[in-house]
Amino acid sequence: MIELDFANMMTDIIGENGLSERQVEALKPAAAKAHEEIASREKPGLAFMDLVKQDTSAIKDAAREIRNDSESFLILGIGGSALGPKTILEAMSPMHNLRKTPRVFIYDNVDPVTFENVLSLIDLDKTTVNVITKSGSTAETMSSFMVLYEKLKGRSGKVVATTDPEKGYLRQIAEADGFSKTLPIPPDVGGRYSVLCPVGLLLAEVAGVDCDELLAGAARMQERCSDPEPWKNPAYLYGSMLYLMDKEEKRNITVMVPYSDRLRPLAEWFCQLWSESLGKLGMGSTPYPSIGATDQHSQMQLWMEGPQDKVVTFIRVEDHGADITIPRVFKDTGVAYLGGHSLGELFNAEEEATELALATAGRPNMTLKVPKVDAAHMGELFYFFEIATAYTGFLYGINPFNQPSVEMSKNFTYGMMGRDGYEAQREEVEKARGRVTCWRL
Amino acid sequence: MIELDFANMMTDIIGENGLSERQVEALKPAAAKAHEEIASREKPGLAFMDLVKQDTSAIKDAAREIRNDSESFLILGIGGSALGPKTILEAMSPMHNLRKTPRVFIYDNVDPVTFENVLSLIDLDKTTVNVITKSGSTAETMSSFMVLYEKLKGRSGKVVATTDPEKGYLRQIAEADGFSKTLPIPPDVGGRYSVLCPVGLLLAEVAGVDCDELLAGAARMQERCSDPEPWKNPAYLYGSMLYLMDKEEKRNITVMVPYSDRLRPLAEWFCQLWSESLGKLGMGSTPYPSIGATDQHSQMQLWMEGPQDKVVTFIRVEDHGADITIPRVFKDTGVAYLGGHSLGELFNAEEEATELALATAGRPNMTLKVPKVDAAHMGELFYFFEIATAYTGFLYGINPFNQPSVEMSKNFTYGMMGRDGYEAQREEVEKARGRVTCWRL
């Protein structure tokens, strides 16, 4: 069971930079309203809560076929459509492509160099392409799919389209076209809340992970996070504290530091979830992806002595599942003290030391203690962060399920790419191009 | 030649959230002092400026031998000792291990799972281990080196120690031990300013990059950044603007967004450089690593509509060196407009669109325009950010070359690991362990 240790958030422990119990108490009316939003299920985006009880048989069948037929599994997706699969892959099968098959490539950009490199590494007769976009209009994903669609003609490689079950261009293409197998992104499940639908689960099964275990973990966390009372609900308490630290204590940065290489992408996944859900109407703290112990040699100076603008969340893994003893060598040097300990021991000691150092310096931090990195605990973590984010969105009084402000950039791109109806945007780009040349160095 | 476009930082273009020319003018006395600090070379950490004229023959010889003898090249290092090599590798040889030999592993943590995976992938008879730590006391690096040192006994794998030329435990071990070849980290070159010394250059040569080209690029940028006048010195202007945005405009987050997968680690490298150099005495903006176009689907909502607390730096690559045309397929759908364009065109259109969208929303941003990603331009970028960071440190009035606040966490770790002299820290840890159990959920 994952445990949330929030001692180092409280004034009792870290002094004046902490939160008082009274602050959390005072938030209770807002917390009750936020809970009501969640419990009533009126906002469409809350459909991610139903994913724990989905039927996974079609996913398992598709994955079995891919494992049997394909040397390579190539995901085309961006945002949640890439971060979910990437997080599962790295957590459950680190260094996958050097160790296992089918090899997995997650192409999550429009960088032609990366795409050429991927193409040079796969045999299109033995590749399954998994194109993931709910709307079917995502320019990055669809442009690379268009390239592959053309290249796959006359080859025995396959396509699985993960998209809206009824609407959108990709659904339209899939239905018009013989070769496409499809999996649904359920209605009202947004990209950043989609890891536990076929978006993430197909990859999980292809990489040899039982996706039902992911869902079982998520279900367990759902049960734990159903209490309306923040003091009894870890996700609500977590969200409440980050909210209070941002709104009342002016800490606008929330750092996420797993002490496990396998959880590095989890921090990125969380950052997308938090940023896109909460960054609205001038509000939203900025989530920062980090990695321990590595970033003790990169970010920690700033956390310890920089501005008082951060809250740090550690993710500590109790049992890494492997360990290596440090031999008693170099006895005449100052590193002799390391001999006889293990790497895992040093790793977790550094995590604990960093918590304590921050607390001692009056810098608020929390720790999620994860027994081990397996499918069930990954499911717990995904659900924990999703429900905490939705709850925090309701505290801010914003809609945690839309992303209205990404449109302007898309529209300028459409203008440059000559899409009909975006002539005005094209003109604006032209004007800007003329304007800026005098300001260069 | 790299170009800095700062139009979207100025009030003339983006309105009241921008900087005025007057603000930059008013900074001139402080800028002159900062320049004097740099030009006088009194601060020891400025030795990185001399790296452009180093003799690289020993590095080239060592690399030639490694390329001939080794299937795998394993770097042990953390902080700058890992980020420098990682940045060069990904920029110059992306997806290296799937495409080229010797395979390169950069072990930059103490995660036993990662270490076991690396060990399972290398043949110790055909591996060169490059252990990098200036002091030789870095616990993470030395603990994994101790493991490998023991495992290499009786095997034909080799060690290259990159460390202080005279002092420290690793130097002591290297000199007591027959098998070690060593390369120097010059005195007064700190870890985060070390990419252009043997720390990064050996990896460069092993990966087939002419390290003299890196240095030639850096030398070119040094020349361009020698003018005391901020309006004529791109690094000074860059630092001045980020400083003003932090101190006078309360923008405490500086986002770095390369639009090139190959430059993803460059953003991380910059974040270490900026964080550890400037995060002092309650000051220092927080550098945020990002990647375009991917993070348009992850962070952009927050940049566009979240709090007014950020400045964004784009890195735009003019010529990606490869491109792929999008075929004219799916003509009856809403993505037909993409057909006939190329991925590179879409990529750069998205970058330009995002600049303009931010500017239109009154969100300050700058762009570094890089003609192409090659060794010389990487050298330019490294030097640009290093000198900009040092300069900005002097503007803040802090020492950009130390990192005093990482000691406390180290000392707690020493206590837990039983190092002599750290008994008091051990006791503090024990006390904290007793204390926190009442605050868990």
Side-chain angles (χ1 to χ4, degrees), chain B residues 141-163:
Chain B
T141 305
M142 289 306 287
S143 58
S144 43
F145 182 54
M146 288 161 85
V147 172
L148 277 165
Y149 178 88
E150 187 82 351
K151 285 188 189 290
L152 279 168
K153 279 185 184 157
R155 314 294 292 265
S156 54
K158 290 175 187 160
V159 173
V160 178
T162 304
T163 189

Side-chain angles (χ1 to χ4, degrees), chain B residues 259-439:
Chain B
Y259 271 66
S260 167
D261 285 334
R262 286 174 290 172
L263 299 182
R264 205 184 266 250
L266 179 72
E268 285 177 56
W269 171 87
F270 166 76
C271 288
Q272 189 224 2
L273 177 67
W274 193 264
S275 298
E276 259 195 353
S277 298
L278 307 183
K280 277 155 211 173
L281 302 175
M283 295 184 287
S285 59
T286 295
Y288 196 102
S290 186
I291 180 78
T294 306
D295 284 347
Q296 291 178 217
H297 296 260
S298 171
Q299 308 298 324
M300 189 162 66
Q301 170 65 35
L302 177 67
W303 303 343
M304 286 288 290
E305 200 193 331
Q308 284 279 8
D309 56 7
K310 296 178 186 67
V311 185
V312 176
T313 299
F314 295 97
I315 303 180
R316 176 188 175 93
V317 174
E318 299 296 353
D319 175 4
H320 294 279
D323 211 348
I324 296 172
T325 301
I326 305 166
R328 297 182 189 276
V329 294
F330 309 153
K331 288 186 183 163
D332 301 331
T333 75
V335 294
Y337 72 95
L338 292 164
H341 294 288
S342 75
L343 292 185
E345 207 183 332
L346 175 60
F347 202 20
N348 284 7
E350 292 202 42
E351 187 279 325
E352 192 177 353
T354 304
E355 282 180 32
L356 185 54
L358 285 171
T360 305
R363 307 263 167 168
N365 65 90
M366 287 187 267
T367 304
L368 284 163
K369 302 190 177 184
V370 181
K372 56 196 255 196
V373 179
D374 58 14
H377 287 103
M378 289 306 295
E380 284 195 36
L381 284 166
F382 286 132
Y383 193 86
F384 173 81
F385 287 122
E386 286 174 344
I387 201 74
T389 302
Y391 166 84
T392 310
F394 294 128
L395 287 184
Y396 277 109
I398 52 94
N399 177 355
F401 304 117
N402 64 1
Q403 54 283 335
S405 291
V406 305
E407 294 307 317
M408 196 196 294
S409 166
K410 279 191 201 173
N411 293 343
F412 284 134
T413 302
Y414 294 152
M416 281 185 265
M417 301 301 275
R419 187 175 184 179
D420 288 344
Y422 295 88
E423 293 74 15
Q425 280 83 0
R426 189 184 184 89
E427 261 175 53
E428 273 198 70
V429 171
E430 295 296 347
K431 256 200 314 207
R433 281 178 181 168
R435 181 178 76 191
V436 299
T437 43
C438 51
W439 288 103

Side-chain angles (χ1 to χ4, degrees), chain A residues 409-426:
Chain A
S409 166
K410 279 190 201 175
N411 294 342
F412 285 133
T413 302
Y414 294 152
M416 280 186 265
M417 301 301 275
R419 187 176 184 179
D420 287 344
Y422 295 87
E423 293 74 16
Q425 280 83 358
R426 188 184 184 93

Side-chain angles (χ1 to χ4, degrees), chain B residues 31-229:
Chain B
K33 264 197 200 159
H35 175 73
E36 190 42 38
E37 287 271 17
I38 290 170
S40 74
R41 297 282 185 98
E42 274 172 25
K43 285 275 182 321
L46 288 161
F48 76 87
M49 296 173 71
D50 299 322
L51 294 173
V52 296
K53 26 180 203 210
Q54 85 200 267
D55 175 2
T56 57
S57 52
I59 297 168
K60 284 175 180 278
D61 290 345
R64 196 173 306 115
E65 212 173 286
I66 294 162
R67 282 201 309 271
N68 288 338
D69 299 349
S70 297
E71 284 176 359
S72 299
F73 181 64
L74 169 55
I75 290 178
L76 308 177
I78 195 164
S81 301
L83 287 166
K86 194 192 271 189
T87 302
I88 293 174
L89 184 70
E90 193 58 29
M92 302 304 300
S93 185
M95 298 191 182
H96 180 88
N97 284 354
L98 296 175
R99 301 166 61 235
K100 295 191 184 157
T101 56
R103 295 209 288 191
V104 176
F105 298 93
I106 301 176
Y107 180 65
D108 66 350
N109 207 341
V110 275
D111 187 326
V113 177
T114 310
F115 204 47
E116 274 212 342
N117 283 333
V118 170
L119 290 175
S120 76
L121 289 166
I122 61 176
D123 175 349
L124 284 174
D125 285 320
K126 293 172 186 160
T127 296
T128 297
V129 175
N130 182 202
V131 51
I132 308 178
T133 156
K134 192 172 180 192
S135 67
S137 62
T138 313
E140 296 87 351
T141 305
M142 289 306 287
S143 58
S144 43
F145 182 54
M146 288 161 85
V147 172
L148 277 165
Y149 178 88
E150 187 82 351
K151 285 188 189 290
L152 279 168
K153 279 185 184 157
R155 314 294 292 265
S156 54
K158 290 175 187 160
V159 173
V160 178
T162 304
T163 189
D164 190 280
E166 293 182 356
K167 294 177 300 194
Y169 305 134
L170 184 55
R171 170 63 49 189
Q172 179 187 339
I173 292 160
E175 290 187 355
D177 201 294
F179 73 66
S180 289
K181 177 176 289 211
T182 70
L183 288 169
I185 303 177
D188 301 331
V189 171
R192 57 189 180 270
Y193 295 87
S194 70
V195 60
L196 295 175
C197 86
V199 168
L201 300 189
L202 179 62
L203 173 279
E205 288 280 338
V206 168
V209 178
D210 182 349
C211 69
D212 290 330
E213 285 181 26
L214 281 160
L215 295 180
R220 202 160 67 198
M221 186 57 81
Q222 186 170 54
E223 180 64 31
R224 275 183 76 195
C225 295
S226 56
D227 201 300
E229 159 70 70

